Amino acid sequence: MTVTRPLAGTLSVLDRPNSYIGKTVPRPNLDRLLQGRGQYVSDLELPRMAHVVFLRSPYAHAKIVAIDADVAKRMSGVIAIVTGRELEAVITPWVGVLSHLKGLKSAPQHAIAVDRACWQGEAVAAIVATSRAAAEDAMEHISADYEELEAITDMRTALDPATHVIHPSLGDNLAFERTLNAGDVDRALLGSEVVEADFVFGRHTGVTLEPRAVVADWNAAEARLTIYQGTQAPHMVQNIAALHLGLREAQVRVICKDVGGSFGIKVHIYADEMATYALSKLLRRPIKFVADRVESFNTDIHARDHRCRGRIGVRPDGTITVFEIDDLTGIGPYSMYPRTSAIEANQVVNLVGGPYVTPNYRARARVVFQNKNVMCQYRAVGHPIACSVTEGLVDLAAAKIGMDPVEIRRRNLIADDAYPCASPSGMKFEQLSHHASLAKLLQMMDYDALRAEQAALRARNVHRGIGIASFIEVTNPSAAFYGVGGAKISSQDGVAVRLDAQGSVICQTSITEQGQGSESSTAQIVGSVLGVSMDRVRVTLGDTDNTPYGGGTWASRGAGIGGEAALQAAKALRQNILDLAAAILQSTPAELDIVNNSIINAGDGAPRMELNELARIVYFRPDTLPPGIQPELMATRHFVPRQYPFAFTNGIQASWLEVDPETGLVTLLKHWVVEDCGTIINPQLVDEQIRGGVVQGLGAALFEKCVYDERGQLTNANMADYLVPMSGEMPDIDIGHVVSPTRESELGAKGAGEAGTAGAAAAVANAVNDALRPFGTIITEIPLTPQVILTALGRI
Amino acid sequence: MKAAAFAYARATSVVNALELLAAHGDKAKVLSGGQSLMPAMNLRLLSPDILVDIGGLAELRGIAVRGDVLVVGALTRHVDLLGSPEIALHAPLLRDAVAHVAHPAIRNRGTIGGSLAHADPASELPACVLALDATIVVRGPAGERRIAATEFFKGIYETALSPDELLVAVEVPVAGQGVAFFFQEYARRHGDYAIVGLAACAVVAAGSFSDLRLGFFAVGDRPVLAAAAGKLINASVTPALLAEATAALADELDPQEDQQATAAMRRHLAAVLLRRCAAALLARPELEKGATR
Ligand SMILES: Cc1cc2nc3c(=O)[nH]c(=O)nc-3n(C[C@H](O)[C@H](O)[C@H](O)COP(=O)(O)OP(=O)(O)OC[C@H]3O[C@@H](n4cnc5c(N)ncnc54)[C@H](O)[C@@H]3O)c2cc1C
């Protein structure tokens, strides 16, 4: 690990004896999950609980003429069959816009389609029955009469005047457009070599192991709705459910126990989940909805699906003079609620060229409606697009002037001592480490030896390639992300810690856990700061009744924001404990410390009193305390970054692979990542986040794509035809770190959850092009399927 | 994704299974390893009224050598083919092929009888039995039928089996002197159905083929025993002759287009496979390059 900038001063609150920070400690929830004692929503059974299945439109765009459910309603086990029109009485529609994304527009979306279905898979009726199987049986007996309408599927023609407008009230199919012009692009282009390419990104989706699942339980006696849901943002769900059901937030409780993966898929509000809340209220009983795999493919948000024209200007000495992009993306028929579907394109504009000093940057991004499933934020929102375009262009520029890809990066990456600084798109960088990361990467991969190996193999007709991709990552977002746009999505998080009567610690946090280890890192921080062993720290997450208010886990924010709140809360409790101990022991707080569950003398380490003894006195013999002392063995703190809108991180990845030019098959041989997420709380959790992220990026690079036909039918909505990356195809992934802590928090942690996904596809695409150099072929489309590669090579 | 309701009967003998099939006609489905049938039922692509589970019939299990024939019971699982010493000795092509079939969990249940009866044109084992010149043994109300593998596959998921018949065994001639095998397939991920694959069985003598059976799969509506192989038999295999054979192969195949590949790409990959097969079996790496630009 290379530490570029140690925290100032002497020992921080984290550098303590028995500190868990920077150590790989096993996740406290591991045994529970491995022993099958996890509690996922699909495990939940409540008295009188019914199951809902949705009849979904088989057409991408159709008028709903009639739904005849008479036969189905009489089938055994059926409780109710509800249409969009009927459900409208219980739940109001929504429009997915944010005010800071100027001009963004969308149409009202209903929990269940009313009159018209706008994508294949949109729910048109709900079948509620005593079991999922009974509901599916009944569904087969509903006859729905549709009038098929023209489906707008090709984003390239969505804005043509001749193209039908999906929502006539909006006037056109343009949801959002953003332009940016920094520096003087035209002048800079004059003295430069210019290279252009069209970058094409497949539509893909998150494929969580556990599908989306919700149990909604309206308790009429309490006038209260309890929602059990696998969500990344419980308080956001609470706010939205209340808003559209006409309730106060206090009438909605959201409980989120174990979640089997999220990747951004579970941070949105889905129509079928809203329908489930509404059905519970309508039918006054608990209703469970668990998406099956086909539904997941048709309704979990999709992402990417961009076509981006990119241009780069470069001088013979390697100076990159210009980045220019024209990005187009199709988001389905509605902007998703409440985070909107303009964020990814907006991010692309924000991030292109981000690692480099190039001041001249022109960008346009357009977001259009189409009759396909909705698109929205998925792990590393916008980053893979921006990174692939930027890094693809940098490699093209290097090839144009005959410079090594490493050398051109060395000459253009922002210097490590240039911070703080800002990008042409206005992104503020506190402290990044591009050059230290590059140096570390080259050393890890033994770049020169690899180049020599490549040359030797090429002589034997074996075609291997090296691809490099620098990236920046948005983490720890402030209110600048959603709050300023009017969304009730909190950017602050809170943590409450309390000492129980036996000296153990109970910690409630508003961040959530979907497998990334939030529970573990919170316990590590609290244990370290307090001086309590981790086995005495219990962390509660995911319950709007029982945690402080906060944003949850998304946008690589859990460790950086929730972690800092945990640190500050633990610090406050520690101070309270030391004050109290000083009073009991007739000492001063400064002379005491807490180490390993005991109060000790700070000076000589001599034990003074165990924490459980202190707790006993406080809770059971307060009469023995000196007069005037009111112990407070619970402390709560909140945190939100204020100085920087985002804590940017950076890193660099490299891919080593082989292409068989006869079959078009790519074999991944090795992948390297160097990444700088600031303070590392748990190295294993960070590394596994990065590996998992890389794997998702490799999926995008080679495998994953939602294939639609021209009528808007998703033709590969199953695990056999939609190819997720599997272990057999994955290379070893080596990870190194550079550490530049953020000074916005005492913890110094930035996010790491999306770094892997940000740059993996770019590294692979560059490596494939590097391997194919002898053939004079450049491919700027992912996934890089055999069909794509063989076509580019002219083999077929 | 829940199967529609169905009845279930566990057959106690082959005779009992045949009675059940006769009683229910095409409303019944044989359940073997369930690795193709159950997914189809859960997707409600198939809704049989009754499943006749033959899983308990020991008489359909096992691998035995009878004279110069290797008899493989219909219930022999993929995993058994992988581990069997008889298969390794007498029909290693099956072992090599089955390593490409799905993943361990599926190979632990899937059976050779199920795979052949299912007749997925992208499946490995149907192409192998063509290449091996195997015989499919079938029992029905009227007794036993023996069908040459070349006559068994009729189209996508279609075979010479009728609904009241049971596939009971496969008979494979044991590999003789000079017999060599080649198996390769192209798939984007390990364990996936192939984009194109080749199971080949050859007799090589003095540097040329005295026999060559090329079983291509995922190149049409059923596995194909390529006639183009004839061009390479008893001939001196030169790059030019090989090019002639690959051209003939391209003409002969009628591949379908799907999400993985166009028909043209399938023809191209079949040609690559043929070149690589010839190069490997004749131990002449230079043949592999073929007409590379
Ligand atoms: C994820 C996954 C990946 C797979 N990948 C591959 C692959 O790469 N290559 C491949 O070849 N296969 C693959 N398979 C299919 C697998 O090999 C199946 O095991 C095989 O196709 C069917 O065998 P089974 O014993 O499971 O048959 P079942 O599923 O039980 O039956 C299949 C069909 O055959 C009929 N049948 C079964 N046995 C008999 C019999 N004795 N007589 C008459 N009819 C019978 C059944 O009625 C049914 O119609 C995959 C399966 C899965 C789930």
Side-chain angles (χ1 to χ4, degrees), chain B residues 29-30 32-37 54 78 100-102 106 110-111 114-115 117 123-124 161 167 191-193:
Chain B
K29 272 272 167 201
V30 175
S32 191
Q35 298 303 294
S36 294
L37 184 57
I54 59 170
H78 301 333
H100 294 264
V101 175
I106 293 146
T111 66
S115 177
S123 262
E124 289 81 358
L161 274 175
L167 193 162
D192 282 350
Y193 281 103

PDB file of all heavy atoms in Angstrom, chain B residues 29-30 32-37 54 78 100-102 106 110-111 114-115 117 123-124 161 167 191-193, ligand 1:
ATOM      1  N   LYS B  29     -45.324 -37.168 -19.748  1.00  0.00           N
ATOM      2  CA  LYS B  29     -43.928 -36.911 -20.112  1.00  0.00           C
ATOM      3  C   LYS B  29     -43.056 -37.781 -19.229  1.00  0.00           C
ATOM      4  O   LYS B  29     -43.316 -37.929 -18.037  1.00  0.00           O
ATOM      5  CB  LYS B  29     -43.574 -35.446 -19.851  1.00  0.00           C
ATOM      6  CG  LYS B  29     -43.869 -34.539 -21.031  1.00  0.00           C
ATOM      7  CD  LYS B  29     -42.667 -34.495 -21.963  1.00  0.00           C
ATOM      8  CE  LYS B  29     -43.003 -33.864 -23.300  1.00  0.00           C
ATOM      9  NZ  LYS B  29     -42.028 -34.277 -24.317  1.00  0.00           N
ATOM     10  N   VAL B  30     -42.027 -38.352 -19.855  1.00  0.00           N
ATOM     11  CA  VAL B  30     -41.050 -39.111 -19.088  1.00  0.00           C
ATOM     12  C   VAL B  30     -40.158 -38.126 -18.338  1.00  0.00           C
ATOM     13  O   VAL B  30     -39.712 -37.136 -18.903  1.00  0.00           O
ATOM     14  CB  VAL B  30     -40.184 -39.967 -20.029  1.00  0.00           C
ATOM     15  CG1 VAL B  30     -39.080 -40.675 -19.254  1.00  0.00           C
ATOM     16  CG2 VAL B  30     -41.061 -40.967 -20.778  1.00  0.00           C
ATOM     17  N   SER B  32     -36.657 -37.901 -16.520  1.00  0.00           N
ATOM     18  CA  SER B  32     -35.394 -38.599 -16.295  1.00  0.00           C
ATOM     19  C   SER B  32     -34.570 -37.733 -15.333  1.00  0.00           C
ATOM     20  O   SER B  32     -34.904 -37.638 -14.157  1.00  0.00           O
ATOM     21  CB  SER B  32     -34.721 -38.817 -17.651  1.00  0.00           C
ATOM     22  OG  SER B  32     -33.644 -39.682 -17.527  1.00  0.00           O
ATOM     23  N   GLY B  33     -33.555 -37.038 -15.807  1.00  0.00           N
ATOM     24  CA  GLY B  33     -32.792 -36.155 -14.909  1.00  0.00           C
ATOM     25  C   GLY B  33     -33.505 -34.855 -14.626  1.00  0.00           C
ATOM     26  O   GLY B  33     -33.174 -34.140 -13.674  1.00  0.00           O
ATOM     27  N   GLY B  34     -34.479 -34.517 -15.456  1.00  0.00           N
ATOM     28  CA  GLY B  34     -35.271 -33.310 -15.234  1.00  0.00           C
ATOM     29  C   GLY B  34     -34.579 -32.012 -15.599  1.00  0.00           C
ATOM     30  O   GLY B  34     -35.141 -30.933 -15.425  1.00  0.00           O
ATOM     31  N   GLN B  35     -33.382 -32.091 -16.138  1.00  0.00           N
ATOM     32  CA  GLN B  35     -32.609 -30.861 -16.341  1.00  0.00           C
ATOM     33  C   GLN B  35     -33.025 -30.075 -17.580  1.00  0.00           C
ATOM     34  O   GLN B  35     -32.662 -28.911 -17.739  1.00  0.00           O
ATOM     35  CB  GLN B  35     -31.111 -31.174 -16.380  1.00  0.00           C
ATOM     36  CG  GLN B  35     -30.606 -31.780 -15.085  1.00  0.00           C
ATOM     37  CD  GLN B  35     -30.906 -30.877 -13.901  1.00  0.00           C
ATOM     38  OE1 GLN B  35     -30.367 -29.783 -13.799  1.00  0.00           O
ATOM     39  NE2 GLN B  35     -31.796 -31.307 -13.037  1.00  0.00           N
ATOM     40  N   SER B  36     -33.776 -30.698 -18.451  1.00  0.00           N
ATOM     41  CA  SER B  36     -34.376 -29.951 -19.555  1.00  0.00           C
ATOM     42  C   SER B  36     -35.879 -29.824 -19.349  1.00  0.00           C
ATOM     43  O   SER B  36     -36.472 -28.790 -19.633  1.00  0.00           O
ATOM     44  CB  SER B  36     -34.110 -30.652 -20.895  1.00  0.00           C
ATOM     45  OG  SER B  36     -32.745 -30.637 -21.191  1.00  0.00           O
ATOM     46  N   LEU B  37     -36.472 -30.883 -18.822  1.00  0.00           N
ATOM     47  CA  LEU B  37     -37.928 -30.899 -18.665  1.00  0.00           C
ATOM     48  C   LEU B  37     -38.413 -29.902 -17.607  1.00  0.00           C
ATOM     49  O   LEU B  37     -39.369 -29.148 -17.846  1.00  0.00           O
ATOM     50  CB  LEU B  37     -38.368 -32.327 -18.306  1.00  0.00           C
ATOM     51  CG  LEU B  37     -39.860 -32.583 -18.182  1.00  0.00           C
ATOM     52  CD1 LEU B  37     -40.588 -32.207 -19.480  1.00  0.00           C
ATOM     53  CD2 LEU B  37     -40.141 -34.044 -17.844  1.00  0.00           C
ATOM     54  N   ILE B  54     -38.839 -42.148 -14.345  1.00  0.00           N
ATOM     55  CA  ILE B  54     -38.156 -43.430 -14.543  1.00  0.00           C
ATOM     56  C   ILE B  54     -36.858 -43.501 -13.728  1.00  0.00           C
ATOM     57  O   ILE B  54     -36.087 -44.462 -13.858  1.00  0.00           O
ATOM     58  CB  ILE B  54     -37.847 -43.681 -16.037  1.00  0.00           C
ATOM     59  CG1 ILE B  54     -36.953 -42.555 -16.605  1.00  0.00           C
ATOM     60  CG2 ILE B  54     -39.138 -43.796 -16.843  1.00  0.00           C
ATOM     61  CD1 ILE B  54     -36.419 -42.852 -17.994  1.00  0.00           C
ATOM     62  N   HIS B  78     -24.585 -37.798 -16.836  1.00  0.00           N
ATOM     63  CA  HIS B  78     -23.437 -37.138 -17.466  1.00  0.00           C
ATOM     64  C   HIS B  78     -22.186 -37.351 -16.615  1.00  0.00           C
ATOM     65  O   HIS B  78     -21.103 -37.598 -17.123  1.00  0.00           O
ATOM     66  CB  HIS B  78     -23.702 -35.644 -17.626  1.00  0.00           C
ATOM     67  CG  HIS B  78     -24.914 -35.315 -18.465  1.00  0.00           C
ATOM     68  ND1 HIS B  78     -25.383 -36.145 -19.454  1.00  0.00           N
ATOM     69  CD2 HIS B  78     -25.736 -34.234 -18.471  1.00  0.00           C
ATOM     70  CE1 HIS B  78     -26.450 -35.589 -20.025  1.00  0.00           C
ATOM     71  NE2 HIS B  78     -26.687 -34.427 -19.444  1.00  0.00           N
ATOM     72  N   HIS B 100     -18.139 -30.694 -21.597  1.00  0.00           N
ATOM     73  CA  HIS B 100     -18.646 -29.404 -22.075  1.00  0.00           C
ATOM     74  C   HIS B 100     -20.137 -29.232 -21.807  1.00  0.00           C
ATOM     75  O   HIS B 100     -20.710 -28.212 -22.146  1.00  0.00           O
ATOM     76  CB  HIS B 100     -18.395 -29.265 -23.578  1.00  0.00           C
ATOM     77  CG  HIS B 100     -16.941 -29.180 -23.934  1.00  0.00           C
ATOM     78  ND1 HIS B 100     -16.298 -27.988 -24.132  1.00  0.00           N
ATOM     79  CD2 HIS B 100     -16.009 -30.150 -24.078  1.00  0.00           C
ATOM     80  CE1 HIS B 100     -15.027 -28.220 -24.411  1.00  0.00           C
ATOM     81  NE2 HIS B 100     -14.815 -29.528 -24.384  1.00  0.00           N
ATOM     82  N   VAL B 101     -20.771 -30.251 -21.270  1.00  0.00           N
ATOM     83  CA  VAL B 101     -22.214 -30.164 -21.022  1.00  0.00           C
ATOM     84  C   VAL B 101     -22.439 -29.470 -19.679  1.00  0.00           C
ATOM     85  O   VAL B 101     -22.092 -30.021 -18.626  1.00  0.00           O
ATOM     86  CB  VAL B 101     -22.875 -31.556 -21.012  1.00  0.00           C
ATOM     87  CG1 VAL B 101     -24.350 -31.438 -20.637  1.00  0.00           C
ATOM     88  CG2 VAL B 101     -22.720 -32.244 -22.358  1.00  0.00           C
ATOM     89  N   ALA B 102     -22.976 -28.279 -19.724  1.00  0.00           N
ATOM     90  CA  ALA B 102     -23.426 -27.579 -18.525  1.00  0.00           C
ATOM     91  C   ALA B 102     -22.362 -27.560 -17.421  1.00  0.00           C
ATOM     92  O   ALA B 102     -21.170 -27.450 -17.686  1.00  0.00           O
ATOM     93  CB  ALA B 102     -24.728 -28.183 -18.030  1.00  0.00           C
ATOM     94  N   ILE B 106     -25.669 -29.871 -12.884  1.00  0.00           N
ATOM     95  CA  ILE B 106     -26.563 -30.393 -13.928  1.00  0.00           C
ATOM     96  C   ILE B 106     -26.072 -31.760 -14.396  1.00  0.00           C
ATOM     97  O   ILE B 106     -26.862 -32.675 -14.623  1.00  0.00           O
ATOM     98  CB  ILE B 106     -26.648 -29.383 -15.084  1.00  0.00           C
ATOM     99  CG1 ILE B 106     -27.353 -28.118 -14.573  1.00  0.00           C
ATOM    100  CG2 ILE B 106     -27.365 -29.952 -16.281  1.00  0.00           C
ATOM    101  CD1 ILE B 106     -26.865 -26.850 -15.170  1.00  0.00           C
ATOM    102  N   GLY B 110     -28.453 -34.865 -15.045  1.00  0.00           N
ATOM    103  CA  GLY B 110     -28.815 -35.077 -16.448  1.00  0.00           C
ATOM    104  C   GLY B 110     -28.346 -36.441 -16.930  1.00  0.00           C
ATOM    105  O   GLY B 110     -27.313 -36.949 -16.498  1.00  0.00           O
ATOM    106  N   THR B 111     -29.122 -37.052 -17.831  1.00  0.00           N
ATOM    107  CA  THR B 111     -28.809 -38.398 -18.306  1.00  0.00           C
ATOM    108  C   THR B 111     -28.600 -38.411 -19.809  1.00  0.00           C
ATOM    109  O   THR B 111     -29.088 -37.531 -20.534  1.00  0.00           O
ATOM    110  CB  THR B 111     -29.973 -39.357 -17.994  1.00  0.00           C
ATOM    111  OG1 THR B 111     -31.110 -38.955 -18.767  1.00  0.00           O
ATOM    112  CG2 THR B 111     -30.340 -39.339 -16.519  1.00  0.00           C
ATOM    113  N   GLY B 114     -31.967 -38.839 -21.544  1.00  0.00           N
ATOM    114  CA  GLY B 114     -32.710 -37.573 -21.578  1.00  0.00           C
ATOM    115  C   GLY B 114     -32.153 -36.636 -22.622  1.00  0.00           C
ATOM    116  O   GLY B 114     -32.896 -35.984 -23.359  1.00  0.00           O
ATOM    117  N   SER B 115     -30.839 -36.586 -22.706  1.00  0.00           N
ATOM    118  CA  SER B 115     -30.217 -35.677 -23.657  1.00  0.00           C
ATOM    119  C   SER B 115     -30.558 -36.077 -25.087  1.00  0.00           C
ATOM    120  O   SER B 115     -30.897 -35.232 -25.918  1.00  0.00           O
ATOM    121  CB  SER B 115     -28.700 -35.677 -23.443  1.00  0.00           C
ATOM    122  OG  SER B 115     -28.087 -34.856 -24.391  1.00  0.00           O
ATOM    123  N   ALA B 117     -33.130 -38.016 -26.091  1.00  0.00           N
ATOM    124  CA  ALA B 117     -34.574 -37.913 -26.329  1.00  0.00           C
ATOM    125  C   ALA B 117     -34.996 -36.452 -26.481  1.00  0.00           C
ATOM    126  O   ALA B 117     -35.895 -36.132 -27.243  1.00  0.00           O
ATOM    127  CB  ALA B 117     -35.335 -38.553 -25.171  1.00  0.00           C
ATOM    128  N   SER B 123     -26.934 -29.669 -28.586  1.00  0.00           N
ATOM    129  CA  SER B 123     -26.400 -30.571 -27.576  1.00  0.00           C
ATOM    130  C   SER B 123     -25.206 -31.358 -28.095  1.00  0.00           C
ATOM    131  O   SER B 123     -25.143 -31.694 -29.276  1.00  0.00           O
ATOM    132  CB  SER B 123     -27.481 -31.579 -27.167  1.00  0.00           C
ATOM    133  OG  SER B 123     -28.090 -31.175 -25.998  1.00  0.00           O
ATOM    134  N   GLU B 124     -24.343 -31.710 -27.164  1.00  0.00           N
ATOM    135  CA  GLU B 124     -23.111 -32.428 -27.513  1.00  0.00           C
ATOM    136  C   GLU B 124     -23.366 -33.898 -27.817  1.00  0.00           C
ATOM    137  O   GLU B 124     -22.858 -34.442 -28.801  1.00  0.00           O
ATOM    138  CB  GLU B 124     -22.105 -32.336 -26.356  1.00  0.00           C
ATOM    139  CG  GLU B 124     -21.477 -30.960 -26.157  1.00  0.00           C
ATOM    140  CD  GLU B 124     -22.355 -29.982 -25.390  1.00  0.00           C
ATOM    141  OE1 GLU B 124     -23.502 -30.338 -25.029  1.00  0.00           O
ATOM    142  OE2 GLU B 124     -21.912 -28.838 -25.171  1.00  0.00           O
ATOM    143  N   LEU B 161     -38.571 -41.258 -31.663  1.00  0.00           N
ATOM    144  CA  LEU B 161     -39.337 -41.819 -30.540  1.00  0.00           C
ATOM    145  C   LEU B 161     -40.801 -41.422 -30.660  1.00  0.00           C
ATOM    146  O   LEU B 161     -41.097 -40.278 -30.967  1.00  0.00           O
ATOM    147  CB  LEU B 161     -38.846 -41.244 -29.221  1.00  0.00           C
ATOM    148  CG  LEU B 161     -37.673 -41.861 -28.478  1.00  0.00           C
ATOM    149  CD1 LEU B 161     -37.353 -40.983 -27.269  1.00  0.00           C
ATOM    150  CD2 LEU B 161     -38.017 -43.271 -28.031  1.00  0.00           C
ATOM    151  N   LEU B 167     -36.674 -44.579 -24.394  1.00  0.00           N
ATOM    152  CA  LEU B 167     -35.303 -44.827 -24.835  1.00  0.00           C
ATOM    153  C   LEU B 167     -34.634 -45.615 -23.706  1.00  0.00           C
ATOM    154  O   LEU B 167     -34.654 -45.168 -22.552  1.00  0.00           O
ATOM    155  CB  LEU B 167     -34.613 -43.481 -25.065  1.00  0.00           C
ATOM    156  CG  LEU B 167     -33.273 -43.441 -25.810  1.00  0.00           C
ATOM    157  CD1 LEU B 167     -33.007 -42.039 -26.317  1.00  0.00           C
ATOM    158  CD2 LEU B 167     -32.125 -43.940 -24.985  1.00  0.00           C
ATOM    159  N   GLY B 191     -19.650 -24.376 -20.364  1.00  0.00           N
ATOM    160  CA  GLY B 191     -20.913 -24.975 -19.935  1.00  0.00           C
ATOM    161  C   GLY B 191     -22.123 -24.522 -20.718  1.00  0.00           C
ATOM    162  O   GLY B 191     -23.185 -25.101 -20.584  1.00  0.00           O
ATOM    163  N   ASP B 192     -21.974 -23.472 -21.522  1.00  0.00           N
ATOM    164  CA  ASP B 192     -23.117 -23.049 -22.330  1.00  0.00           C
ATOM    165  C   ASP B 192     -23.286 -23.989 -23.515  1.00  0.00           C
ATOM    166  O   ASP B 192     -22.346 -24.642 -23.943  1.00  0.00           O
ATOM    167  CB  ASP B 192     -22.883 -21.636 -22.877  1.00  0.00           C
ATOM    168  CG  ASP B 192     -23.139 -20.573 -21.831  1.00  0.00           C
ATOM    169  OD1 ASP B 192     -23.663 -20.918 -20.763  1.00  0.00           O
ATOM    170  OD2 ASP B 192     -22.809 -19.406 -22.091  1.00  0.00           O
ATOM    171  N   TYR B 193     -24.494 -24.023 -24.051  1.00  0.00           N
ATOM    172  CA  TYR B 193     -24.674 -24.707 -25.323  1.00  0.00           C
ATOM    173  C   TYR B 193     -23.742 -24.060 -26.341  1.00  0.00           C
ATOM    174  O   TYR B 193     -23.524 -22.850 -26.311  1.00  0.00           O
ATOM    175  CB  TYR B 193     -26.127 -24.573 -25.793  1.00  0.00           C
ATOM    176  CG  TYR B 193     -27.066 -25.521 -25.085  1.00  0.00           C
ATOM    177  CD1 TYR B 193     -27.911 -25.069 -24.080  1.00  0.00           C
ATOM    178  CD2 TYR B 193     -27.103 -26.867 -25.435  1.00  0.00           C
ATOM    179  CE1 TYR B 193     -28.775 -25.933 -23.426  1.00  0.00           C
ATOM    180  CE2 TYR B 193     -27.965 -27.744 -24.786  1.00  0.00           C
ATOM    181  CZ  TYR B 193     -28.796 -27.277 -23.793  1.00  0.00           C
ATOM    182  OH  TYR B 193     -29.649 -28.139 -23.157  1.00  0.00           O
TER     183      TYR B 193
HETATM  184  C1  LIG C   1     -28.245 -24.605 -17.034  1.00  0.00           C
HETATM  185  C2  LIG C   1     -28.266 -25.785 -17.956  1.00  0.00           C
HETATM  186  C3  LIG C   1     -27.297 -25.885 -18.920  1.00  0.00           C
HETATM  187  C4  LIG C   1     -27.289 -26.953 -19.786  1.00  0.00           C
HETATM  188  N1  LIG C   1     -26.309 -27.012 -20.720  1.00  0.00           N
HETATM  189  C5  LIG C   1     -26.287 -28.064 -21.577  1.00  0.00           C
HETATM  190  C6  LIG C   1     -25.277 -28.169 -22.577  1.00  0.00           C
HETATM  191  O1  LIG C   1     -24.371 -27.361 -22.665  1.00  0.00           O
HETATM  192  N2  LIG C   1     -25.340 -29.214 -23.422  1.00  0.00           N
HETATM  193  C7  LIG C   1     -26.332 -30.145 -23.324  1.00  0.00           C
HETATM  194  O2  LIG C   1     -26.323 -31.075 -24.124  1.00  0.00           O
HETATM  195  N3  LIG C   1     -27.284 -30.064 -22.406  1.00  0.00           N
HETATM  196  C8  LIG C   1     -27.292 -29.053 -21.523  1.00  0.00           C
HETATM  197  N4  LIG C   1     -28.278 -29.002 -20.580  1.00  0.00           N
HETATM  198  C9  LIG C   1     -29.318 -30.035 -20.582  1.00  0.00           C
HETATM  199  C10 LIG C   1     -28.882 -31.264 -19.828  1.00  0.00           C
HETATM  200  O3  LIG C   1     -27.836 -31.916 -20.476  1.00  0.00           O
HETATM  201  C11 LIG C   1     -30.047 -32.231 -19.649  1.00  0.00           C
HETATM  202  O4  LIG C   1     -29.660 -33.059 -18.621  1.00  0.00           O
HETATM  203  C12 LIG C   1     -30.412 -33.073 -20.840  1.00  0.00           C
HETATM  204  O5  LIG C   1     -30.665 -32.298 -21.984  1.00  0.00           O
HETATM  205  C13 LIG C   1     -31.688 -33.846 -20.573  1.00  0.00           C
HETATM  206  O6  LIG C   1     -31.426 -34.932 -19.761  1.00  0.00           O
HETATM  207  P1  LIG C   1     -32.327 -35.206 -18.505  1.00  0.00           P
HETATM  208  O7  LIG C   1     -31.965 -36.541 -18.037  1.00  0.00           O
HETATM  209  O8  LIG C   1     -32.163 -34.104 -17.555  1.00  0.00           O
HETATM  210  O9  LIG C   1     -33.778 -35.258 -19.172  1.00  0.00           O
HETATM  211  P2  LIG C   1     -35.172 -34.678 -18.710  1.00  0.00           P
HETATM  212  O10 LIG C   1     -35.085 -33.207 -18.507  1.00  0.00           O
HETATM  213  O11 LIG C   1     -35.730 -35.460 -17.614  1.00  0.00           O
HETATM  214  O12 LIG C   1     -36.001 -34.964 -20.008  1.00  0.00           O
HETATM  215  C14 LIG C   1     -35.772 -34.288 -21.229  1.00  0.00           C
HETATM  216  C15 LIG C   1     -36.754 -34.750 -22.286  1.00  0.00           C
HETATM  217  O13 LIG C   1     -36.491 -36.080 -22.681  1.00  0.00           O
HETATM  218  C16 LIG C   1     -37.560 -36.966 -22.378  1.00  0.00           C
HETATM  219  N5  LIG C   1     -36.944 -38.191 -21.863  1.00  0.00           N
HETATM  220  C17 LIG C   1     -36.038 -38.257 -20.872  1.00  0.00           C
HETATM  221  N6  LIG C   1     -35.599 -39.517 -20.706  1.00  0.00           N
HETATM  222  C18 LIG C   1     -36.264 -40.279 -21.630  1.00  0.00           C
HETATM  223  C19 LIG C   1     -36.221 -41.649 -21.974  1.00  0.00           C
HETATM  224  N7  LIG C   1     -35.410 -42.501 -21.360  1.00  0.00           N
HETATM  225  N8  LIG C   1     -37.033 -42.061 -22.964  1.00  0.00           N
HETATM  226  C20 LIG C   1     -37.843 -41.206 -23.610  1.00  0.00           C
HETATM  227  N9  LIG C   1     -37.901 -39.887 -23.344  1.00  0.00           N
HETATM  228  C21 LIG C   1     -37.108 -39.438 -22.363  1.00  0.00           C
HETATM  229  C22 LIG C   1     -38.398 -36.235 -21.377  1.00  0.00           C
HETATM  230  O14 LIG C   1     -39.724 -36.607 -21.414  1.00  0.00           O
HETATM  231  C23 LIG C   1     -38.199 -34.780 -21.797  1.00  0.00           C
HETATM  232  O15 LIG C   1     -39.024 -34.481 -22.874  1.00  0.00           O
HETATM  233  C24 LIG C   1     -28.296 -27.953 -19.689  1.00  0.00           C
HETATM  234  C25 LIG C   1     -29.271 -27.870 -18.707  1.00  0.00           C
HETATM  235  C26 LIG C   1     -29.269 -26.791 -17.836  1.00  0.00           C
HETATM  236  C27 LIG C   1     -30.334 -26.709 -16.786  1.00  0.00           C
END
